[in-house]
């Protein structure tokens, strides 16, 4: 009984370690929607053929208290959203006298095409300004500003690019955990888009896909579990008793040779 309990705790610990490793390698962001998500068709800013148009935008006013920029989660209205921005507290350097922040996400025409790939879907402009409409500067912080972009259906090799200084540049990109959705931690705001083709380049998606890594890790985990169960359930070996010479011999059932008659009556 104790051995079975030890095996159960071993499996629990192994599963926990696997979940922790996957979160470290492919962190899952905070979703902005709950329940079963029914994906509607991608909405294009300039649809062609049978494509769906009229993509939504987002805007809100976030109050500033305590002299720090507040937490907020912004998302467009599609299901799932085509553009999201999650910001932690104190992620921006506030201008003097700032009492609120204006947050907006807007689908826009790309200022220029990407020289290192093809833009898939819409480009989106992410902006945060103060009372006077002046942009606020992003503070240096790890993972305090997270962007999620959805690409059109069928995009499996996308990465996020940022338009700045007249060119589109790759930023470090992770799969969000849902097909055709890509996540990036931002150092600055501005125009972003999902790009396919060409090379990921420095800071791009590249490397081992976290989803592929997760699949390999899960397969290895279940293989270990199956091996442990097989080992515990296999029949015990039959003990072999070794006896000394002349011991433990079974009497022979064969009869000896018949004696000749002696003639006695």
């Amino acid at each position: 009984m104790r051995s079975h309990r030890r095996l159960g705790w071993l499996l629990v610990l192994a599963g926990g370690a696997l979940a922790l490793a996957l979160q470290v390698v492919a962190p899952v962001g905070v979703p902005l929607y709950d329940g079963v998500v029914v994906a509607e068709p991608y909405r294009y800013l300039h649809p062609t053929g049978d494509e769906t148009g009229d993509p939504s935008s987002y805007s809100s006013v976030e109050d500033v208290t305590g002299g720090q920029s507040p937490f907020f989660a912004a998302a467009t209205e599609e299901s799932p959203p085509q553009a999201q921005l999650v910001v932690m507290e104190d992620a921006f350097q506030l201008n003097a006298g700032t009492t609120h922040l204006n947050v907006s996400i807007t689908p826009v025409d790309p200022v220029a095409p990407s020289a290192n790939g093809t833009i898939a879907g819409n480009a989106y402009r992410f902006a945060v300004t103060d009372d006077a409409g002046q942009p606020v500067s992003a503070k240096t912080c790890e993972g305090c500003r997270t962007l999620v972009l959805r690409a059109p259906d069928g995009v499996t090799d996308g990465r996020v690019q940022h338009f700045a200084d007249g060119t589109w540049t790759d930023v470090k990109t992770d799969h969000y955990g849902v097909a055709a959705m890509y996540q990036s931690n931002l150092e600055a705001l501005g125009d972003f888009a999902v790009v396919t083709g060409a090379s990921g380049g420095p800071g791009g998606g590249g490397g081992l896909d976290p989803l592929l890594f997760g699949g390999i890790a899960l397969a290895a985990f279940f293989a270990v579990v199956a091996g442990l169960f097989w080992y515990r359930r296999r029949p015990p070996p039959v003990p072999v008793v070794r006896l000394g010479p002349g011991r433990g011999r079974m009497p022979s059932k064969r009869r000896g040779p018949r004696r000749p008659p002696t003639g006695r009556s």
Side-chain angles (χ1 to χ4, degrees), residues 30-46:
V30 180
L32 301 185
Y33 46 87
D34 297 319
V36 178
V37 180
V38 179
E40 66 179 29
Y42 190 90
R43 296 182 176 272
Y44 292 83
L45 186 61
H46 299 293

Side-chain angles (χ1 to χ4, degrees), residues 198-262:
S199 171
L208 179 64
D209 191 324
L211 294 180
L212 177 60
F213 175 84
I216 295 173
L218 285 175
F221 172 71
F222 285 116
V224 171
V225 171
L228 288 173
F229 272 107
W230 174 84
Y231 179 81
R232 297 301 303 175
R233 296 174 66 89
R234 66 175 183 170
V238 178
V240 178
V241 179
R242 297 184 179 276
L243 302 176
R247 296 183 180 181
R249 293 182 179 178
M250 297 294 293
S252 175
K253 294 183 179 181
R254 294 184 303 173
R255 294 182 179 181
R258 296 182 64 181
R259 295 180 180 180
T262 59

Side-chain angles (χ1 to χ4, degrees), residues 117-219:
T118 302
I119 294 176
N122 306 324
Y124 281 88
R125 180 164 298 156
F126 295 79
V128 178
T129 61
D130 63 9
D131 313 50
Q134 296 299 314
V136 292
S137 301
K139 286 187 173 182
T140 301
C141 50
E142 183 66 27
C144 62
R145 294 171 299 269
T146 302
L147 165 151
V148 180
L149 286 177
R150 176 187 171 195
D153 295 340
V155 174
T156 58
D157 62 344
R159 63 191 186 279
V160 176
Q161 286 192 349
H162 177 213
F163 185 81
D165 300 325
T167 186
W168 289 95
T169 305
D170 292 333
V171 296
K172 181 173 174 53
T173 304
D174 295 310
H175 283 281
Y176 185 62
V178 180
M181 298 191 74
Y182 300 90
Q183 171 181 304
S184 181
N185 294 320
L186 305 183
E187 297 180 358
L189 300 182
D191 292 3
F192 292 84
V194 175
V195 175
T196 61
S199 171
L208 179 64
D209 191 324
L211 294 180
L212 177 60
F213 175 84
I216 295 173
L218 285 175

Side-chain angles (χ1 to χ4, degrees), residues 80-130:
Q82 293 182 186
Q84 306 176 47
L85 178 64
V86 179
V87 175
M88 302 294 109
E89 289 184 345
D90 200 27
F92 294 101
Q93 182 65 50
L94 299 179
N95 302 325
T98 300
T99 61
H100 66 264
L101 297 178
N102 303 302
V103 181
S104 64
I105 305 176
T106 310
V108 297
D109 289 318
V111 178
S114 172
N116 188 24
T118 302
I119 294 176
N122 306 324
Y124 281 88
R125 180 164 298 156
F126 295 79
V128 178
T129 61
D130 63 9

